[in-house]
């Protein structure tokens, strides 16, 4: 698969720099990426829609959340809100994040990423001005029949610009393309997810596989991004009624 074949809508946009994608988090959440903000250096997470088109915000919000130990308080600070913004849209966003964070709360790599703090942002990209001027100067000298010596040769500077998808040094672009291909074949995990129904299963449509309750779906492999393959069939993890949002720190 060529890089151009990956829809830009499936990966976090700038200024987010992709580090990795969390897989095996169960269906109904979307694509969860571990990223870093290239402008601030802050560690961050980004949720993107899955192949079935879930995760469709209806309003643009920017908020800052604070948890303080002494004195004890929680703060939600709105940095940007839409005109006539609806609080239920803000509640919907927070509920989706609560669901996603519960799915990765026991993953050491998620804890390490979020607790690492900000890193120094990368230097701003060079503009193409010096390179353009150097090229024009060289062309003028050659037109006059003058061959510049080593000391007079302008040093060209290749302009760089932040790509729409910046990939961490430890994860080459080919790895991202491989991940996109593997997204259609999620293997069945060795055990149930946190919060997944366990025997005795609560629904007659659920079957027990590797200690968890699973619901077989009509699709056949490749199962897509939000289902898991097992012995030639596709399954979704069985969950009870959605759990209410939970705080990260009890």
């Amino acid at each position: 698969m060529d890089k151009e074949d990956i829809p830009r809508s499936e990966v976090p946009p700038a200024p987010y720099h992709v580090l990795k994608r969390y897989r095996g988090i169960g269906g109904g959440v979307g694509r969860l990426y571990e990223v870093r903000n290239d402008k601030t250096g802050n560690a961050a997470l980004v949720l993107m829609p899955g192949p079935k088109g879930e995760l469709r915000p209806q309003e643009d919000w920017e908020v800052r959340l604070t948890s303080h130990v002494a004195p004890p308080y929680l703060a939600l600070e709105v940095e940007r809100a839409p005109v006539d913004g609806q609080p239920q849209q803000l509640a919907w966003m927070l509920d989706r994040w609560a669901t996603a964070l519960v799915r990765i709360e026991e993953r050491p790599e998620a804890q390490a990423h979020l607790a690492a703090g900000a890193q120094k942002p990368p230097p701003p990209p060079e503009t193409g001005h010096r390179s353009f001027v150097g090229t024009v100067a060289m062309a003028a000298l050659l037109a006059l029949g003058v061959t510049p010596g080593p000391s007079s040769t302008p040093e060209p500077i290749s302009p760089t610009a932040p790509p729409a998808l910046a990939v961490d040094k430890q994860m080459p672009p080919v790895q991202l393309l491989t991940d996109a291909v593997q997204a259609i074949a999620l293997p069945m995990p060795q055990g149930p997810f946190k919060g997944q129904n366990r025997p005795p299963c609560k629904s007659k449509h659920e079957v027990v596989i590797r200690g968890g309750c699973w619901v077989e779906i009509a699709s056949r492999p490749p199962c897509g991004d939000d289902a898991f393959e097992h012995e030639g069939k596709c399954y979704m993890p069985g969950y009870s009624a959605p759990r209410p949002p939970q705080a990260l720190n009890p």
Side-chain angles (χ1 to χ4, degrees):
M1 177 182 294
D2 296 331
K3 186 176 181 180
E4 290 77 7
D5 294 333
I6 302 178
R8 294 172 60 89
S9 61
E10 293 184 4
V11 294
Y16 295 113
H17 176 101
V18 177
L19 302 178
K20 64 176 294 184
R21 177 181 165 195
Y22 290 103
R23 297 188 177 279
I25 61 174
V29 176
R31 293 183 171 95
L32 180 60
Y33 291 90
E34 178 180 297
V35 302
R36 192 168 291 279
N37 189 313
D38 278 340
K39 292 184 178 180
T40 64
N42 292 335
L45 299 173
V46 171
L47 272 173
M48 299 291 293
K52 295 185 178 180
E54 71 271 55
L55 193 75
R56 295 298 183 196
Q58 298 180 9
E59 296 178 348
D60 294 333
W61 287 83
E62 289 185 13
V63 299
R64 180 189 299 271
L65 299 178
T66 301
S67 173
H68 204 271
V69 176
Y73 69 85
L74 300 175
L76 188 152
E77 181 179 349
V78 178
E79 297 184 346
R80 184 171 65 90
V83 177
D84 299 327
Q86 301 299 312
Q88 58 264 36
Q89 289 296 315
L90 183 60
W92 174 86
M93 176 180 68
L94 297 176
D95 181 69
R96 292 304 294 259
W97 271 119
T99 301
L101 291 169
V102 165
R103 302 282 179 89
I104 63 171
E105 63 182 354
E106 295 184 353
R107 297 195 180 190
E109 67 272 26
Q111 190 276 335
H113 171 66
L114 295 175
Q119 295 182 1
K120 185 178 180 180
E126 294 281 353
T127 65
H129 177 69
R130 284 185 59 190
S131 178
F132 175 76
V133 172
T135 302
V136 173
M138 179 67 74
L141 290 173
L142 293 176
L144 294 174
V146 178
T147 303
S151 60
S152 62
T153 302
E155 180 182 355
I157 298 179
S158 299
T160 60
L165 175 61
V167 183
D168 189 70
K169 292 181 179 179
Q170 297 179 356
M171 182 179 177
V174 67
Q175 180 63 47
L176 184 64
L177 300 181
T178 302
D179 288 350
V181 175
Q182 292 176 345
I184 64 174
L186 289 177
M188 179 69 67
Q190 294 301 316
F193 294 113
K194 184 177 180 63
Q196 182 179 354
N197 293 341
R198 306 190 184 200
C201 298
K202 305 181 183 304
S203 170
K204 64 180 181 179
H205 301 291
E206 296 177 333
V207 295
V208 178
I209 302 176
R210 297 179 182 176
C213 296
W214 296 82
V215 179
E216 181 181 351
I217 61 177
S219 300
R220 288 296 177 262
C223 302
D225 189 61
D226 56 351
F228 296 79
E229 180 180 347
H230 180 67
E231 296 182 351
K233 298 180 180 180
C234 299
Y235 295 89
M236 296 283 289
Y239 289 97
S240 300
R243 300 193 300 177
Q246 301 180 17
L248 288 179
N249 298 319

